[in-house]
Amino acid sequence: MIIDLRELLHASGRIEGAVLSHLDDPVGGDVVVPCQVTVDYRFSQGMFYFHGSVAGEFATACHRCLAPVATRISGEFDLIVRRSEHEGEFGEDVMTLATHEHEVSIDPWVHETVVVNEPMIVLCREDCKGLCPTCGTDLNTGTCNCESGDDPRWDALRRMKLD
């Protein structure tokens, strides 16, 4: 989303738009996240102050049972844009434009907001039982006849629990 500073006619206001952001989902691979972006701005003492809100939703698979899940993402970012002779200076949330530049792309801030707010584990439901590691049966919808094959490396901890 590109903001043309020449079009910001008031000292403060709101801009709304849509941005497509990409995620590297551990289960779904490269996922496109359509995001709604709302940016409140304020111009003061020669600088633009932007506060953005990002909301999006994408489809992925449950990380335990692989069932399809719609996942919502939301977050906020702040950006300060100033003008200077030294163009191209960037800080964590500060961008410096040359005096002859007028456009600001907020796509990197939207992308960072999406990535930072992506859930680490996506579940279809809190009590998801996942898949049987032997036969692949979805344990949420049925049971299987596989033996539980306890790992002997955990025996010492099991004995401690029983004592």
Side-chain angles (χ1 to χ4, degrees):
M1 185 171 156
I2 296 180
I3 299 173
D4 189 336
L5 301 179
R6 294 172 294 192
E7 294 178 4
L8 306 181
L9 304 175
H10 304 287
S12 63
R14 175 172 281 185
I15 304 165
E16 295 181 348
V19 173
L20 294 177
S21 188
H22 292 265
L23 282 178
D24 187 21
D25 182 42
V27 177
D30 184 34
V31 176
V32 176
V33 182
C35 299
Q36 284 301 117
V37 180
T38 303
V39 179
D40 293 317
Y41 70 88
R42 179 174 50 91
F43 182 74
S44 176
Q45 298 178 358
M47 293 191 281
F48 286 92
Y49 298 88
F50 296 100
H51 177 78
S53 298
V54 179
E57 184 174 313
F58 67 99
T60 188
C62 174
H63 290 180
R64 288 188 189 157
C65 71
L66 302 178
V69 179
T71 304
R72 293 183 185 273
I73 291 180
S74 64
E76 298 179 344
F77 67 89
D78 291 304
L79 171 64
I80 299 171
V81 177
R82 65 181 183 175
R83 295 189 180 277
S84 173
E85 297 171 2
H86 308 288
E87 65 178 280
E89 293 178 12
F90 290 88
E92 190 164 314
D93 54 357
V94 177
M95 177 189 290
T96 304
L97 293 179
T99 52
H100 66 277
E101 291 182 317
H102 303 288
E103 294 182 341
V104 174
S105 173
I106 62 169
D107 290 351
W109 283 268
V110 172
H111 177 71
E112 179 182 357
T113 303
V114 169
V115 169
V116 167
N117 289 287
E118 174 188 12
M120 292 181 71
I121 297 175
V122 175
L123 299 177
C124 59
R125 60 182 202 229
E126 286 295 319
D127 63 340
C128 178
K129 296 176 185 174
L131 302 175
C132 172
T134 305
C135 68
T137 299
D138 185 349
L139 300 174
N140 295 313
T141 60
T143 58
C144 63
N145 295 327
C146 298
E147 293 186 25
S148 66
D150 290 333
D151 190 338
R153 295 176 289 182
W154 294 99
D155 288 345
L157 288 174
R158 283 190 199 95
R159 284 192 298 274
M160 288 175 54
K161 184 177 174 184
L162 297 175
D163 293 340

